Amino acid sequence: MTPAPRTLELFYDVLSPYSWLGFEVLCRYKKLWNINLQLRPSLIAAIMKDSGNQPPALLPRKAQYLQNDIRLLGQHIQVPIQFPKDFFSVILEKGSLSAMRFLTAVNLEHPKMLEKVSRELWMRVWSRAAEKAGMSTEQAQGLLEKISTPEVKNELRDTTNTACKYGAFGLPVTVAHLDGQTHMLFGSDRMELLAHLLGEKWMGPVPPAINAKI
Amino acid sequence: MTPAPRTLELFYDVLSPYSWLGFEVLCRYKKLWNINLQLRPSLIAAIMKDSGNQPPALLPRKAQYLQNDIRLLGQHIQVPIQFPKDFFSVILEKGSLSAMRFLTAVNLEHPKMLEKVSRELWMRVWSRDEDISEPKSILAAAEKAGMSTEQAQGLLEKISTPEVKNELRDTTNTACKYGAFGLPVTVAHLDGQTHMLFGSDRMELLAHLLGEKWMGPVPPAINAKI
């Protein structure tokens, strides 16, 4: 009898490129590891504010570094990620409030669509190629109308607060629940360590798809 | 005919726990990959100042996170790393100026000893919660690494010379010119390109860039160098 799957919560924001990288790696591994991946749409701007942190891109040398780091990781992890032309405008001015409220609404009403719609939003912000996620126009429109309802606003706020209570100062944050312990891991670069904690095999960021789930 | 080894420069400071983790992983892989690992003792405090960055531990939630992160990574990477009891005093008050000047002197005169002496300094501050700021502390580390007392004493006398001060300053400036805002920084020179990678968590990516095999942070030692 296989033991119960371990719950992993992934707190993410589509504004965060590293969130996309972590998301794709975990989506690949959810079929390979004995885990239950729970996606948690959150607001990175609120986490920054609550923790007293600042977006790393505000430090010039970090902004420079990020561009290369994202490019190289995108190649390695095989995610078509590219810096938007006006990066600062995207991150600091436009933000992601409506997008994350929309994903919150998706999660409340059509949770099975959450992965695809999240990916579609990342593709729009962080890649030049946009694909359709497969939601019908009515479905999408209906959800769009809900994004300013108290229910959706509160759900996004609650999820974001949960991330803060886990100690988040940025995103992505992966929370692993195992053997009665809770481990909060920050960043897209803690997946090999996560494998170690789970007692699972790390096969790099692009694991062979044919391995059956144990 | 094997191609020429690729040069990797590792800029590090013994005050930096993540530097220790990156250092140990690269020391393991230098025997397995076609690389030439150049250790570059640097001063993290100066890099922070020059880049306008701050030690992450100054943000409360990061300080909290760091403690767990270091502990878990230490277990995974099999490095006996432990937070000192008075962490803030160690990092922010005592610092690592003498230690890094000493390592600079070691690198100038006995470069083959640099790896071992660096390790012994990390073992003091980041494993046994021992001082590394006083001369007798630095001497103890050097002796534990296998240096004779005379050799160690001789190097200690040189740490305030212009030659050693300038060398440390130059190395640190080089890290800054590569774009460093913290440590460790690994600079890989390959195919006419230079890649600067920050952190102890870019080693799998480094393997990918080098076209080498990543076997985790604790690779089997018996694999012969290709």
Side-chain angles (χ1 to χ4, degrees):
Chain A
M1 184 187 103
T2 40
R6 282 75 54 88
T7 297
L8 295 188
E9 299 180 81
L10 176 67
F11 295 85
Y12 68 97
D13 185 326
V14 297
L15 203 61
S16 156
Y18 292 103
S19 285
W20 191 12
L21 297 172
F23 168 92
E24 292 298 353
V25 173
L26 287 178
C27 285
R28 288 165 191 166
Y29 274 97
K30 68 177 182 186
K31 305 165 202 157
L32 303 172
W33 290 345
N34 188 24
I35 56 175
N36 172 17
L37 180 62
Q38 300 283 333
L39 299 178
R40 300 269 185 255
S42 314
L43 213 56
I44 194 170
I47 288 172
M48 290 285 167
K49 195 171 171 199
D50 189 66
S51 62
N53 196 11
Q54 267 193 336
L58 288 185
L59 192 83
R61 260 184 226 171
K62 283 191 186 182
Q64 181 113 6
Y65 180 75
L66 282 177
Q67 299 198 49
N68 253 332
D69 195 45
I70 290 292
R71 184 180 58 85
L72 291 175
L73 288 173
Q75 288 167 12
H76 184 217
I77 300 175
Q78 294 180 31
V79 174
I81 195 164
Q82 268 173 344
F83 255 68
K85 264 194 228 89
D86 191 1
F87 165 65
F88 281 104
S89 165
V90 167
I91 302 281
L92 301 170
E93 291 165 26
K94 292 170 107 176
S96 59
L97 185 57
S98 299
M100 295 320 295
R101 279 182 179 165
F102 185 73
L103 289 180
T104 300
V106 170
N107 200 20
L108 286 168
E109 304 219 356
H110 304 284
K112 286 181 160 59
M113 294 295 300
L114 181 58
E115 178 182 333
K116 286 187 175 174
V117 183
S118 301
R119 184 174 289 118
E120 169 62 11
L121 284 167
W122 267 305
M123 290 289 261
R124 286 184 69 85
V125 180
W126 283 103
S127 183
R128 287 201 201 124
E131 294 161 18
K132 294 226 186 330
M135 201 174 247
S136 75
T137 313
E138 291 113 358
Q139 257 182 344
Q141 195 60 43
L143 289 171
L144 213 49
E145 282 155 21
K146 293 192 173 157
I147 69 175
S148 295
T149 59
E151 186 194 12
V152 169
K153 286 182 175 183
N154 289 336
E155 178 70 8
L156 179 58
R157 186 177 302 125
D158 286 351
T159 304
T160 304
N161 282 341
T162 302
C164 289
K165 275 188 236 144
Y166 279 129
F169 46 83
L171 292 175
V173 155
T174 306
V175 180
H177 300 267
L178 45 140
D179 303 323
Q181 286 196 310
T182 298
H183 297 284
M184 185 281 263
L185 304 173
F186 167 69
S188 60
D189 44 25
R190 288 291 178 274
M191 302 310 176
E192 185 171 13
L193 176 64
L194 176 63
H196 168 82
L197 294 172
L198 290 168
E200 298 276 8
K201 191 166 158 59
W202 176 247
M203 292 170 281
V206 190
I210 50 176
N211 292 346
K213 185 167 160 161
I214 297 167
Chain B
M1 184 187 101
T2 40
R6 282 75 55 87
T7 297
L8 295 187
E9 297 180 82
L10 176 65
F11 295 86
Y12 67 98
D13 185 326
V14 296
L15 203 62
S16 157
Y18 292 103
S19 287
W20 192 11
L21 297 171
F23 168 92
E24 293 297 355
V25 173
L26 288 178
C27 286
R28 289 165 190 165
Y29 274 98
K30 70 178 181 185
K31 306 165 201 156
L32 302 172
W33 291 344
N34 189 25
I35 57 175
N36 172 17
L37 179 62
Q38 301 284 333
L39 299 177
R40 300 270 186 252
S42 315
L43 213 57
I44 195 171
I47 290 173
M48 289 285 168
K49 195 171 171 200
D50 190 65
S51 61
N53 196 10
Q54 265 194 339
L58 288 183
L59 192 84
R61 260 184 226 171
K62 284 191 186 182
Q64 181 112 6
Y65 180 74
L66 281 177
Q67 298 199 51
N68 253 333
D69 195 45
I70 292 291
R71 183 179 58 85
L72 291 174
L73 289 172
Q75 287 167 10
H76 184 217
I77 300 176
Q78 294 181 32
V79 174
I81 195 162
Q82 263 177 350
F83 256 69
K85 263 192 234 86
D86 192 358
F87 165 66
F88 282 104
S89 167
V90 168
I91 301 279
L92 301 170
E93 293 168 358
K94 292 168 104 181
S96 59
L97 185 59
S98 299
M100 297 319 295
R101 281 181 176 164
F102 186 76
L103 289 179
T104 301
V106 170
N107 200 19
L108 287 169
E109 304 218 357
H110 304 284
K112 285 183 163 54
M113 294 296 300
L114 181 57
E115 179 182 332
K116 286 187 176 173
V117 183
S118 301
R119 184 174 289 118
E120 288 308 327
L121 283 165
W122 266 307
M123 286 294 277
R124 284 186 68 90
V125 63
W126 275 105
S127 192
R128 300 192 301 263
D129 197 1
E130 292 170 355
D131 172 79
I132 55 164
S133 62
E134 292 179 31
K136 63 176 194 244
S137 306
I138 297 173
L139 278 180
E143 284 166 9
K144 205 145 201 273
M147 253 189 193
S148 73
T149 313
E150 288 123 352
Q151 245 186 0
Q153 194 63 50
L155 288 172
L156 206 50
E157 281 155 25
K158 293 189 174 163
I159 70 174
S160 295
T161 60
E163 187 194 11
V164 169
K165 286 183 176 184
N166 290 338
E167 178 70 8
L168 178 58
R169 187 177 301 123
D170 287 351
T171 304
T172 303
N173 282 343
T174 302
C176 288
K177 275 188 237 141
Y178 279 129
F181 46 84
L183 292 176
V185 154
T186 305
V187 180
H189 301 268
L190 44 141
D191 304 322
Q193 287 196 311
T194 297
H195 297 284
M196 185 282 262
L197 303 174
F198 167 68
S200 60
D201 45 23
R202 288 290 179 277
M203 301 311 176
E204 186 171 14
L205 176 64
L206 176 64
H208 168 83
L209 294 172
L210 291 168
E212 299 275 8
K213 190 167 158 61
W214 175 247
M215 293 171 280
V218 191
I222 49 175
N223 292 348
K225 185 168 161 164
I226 297 168

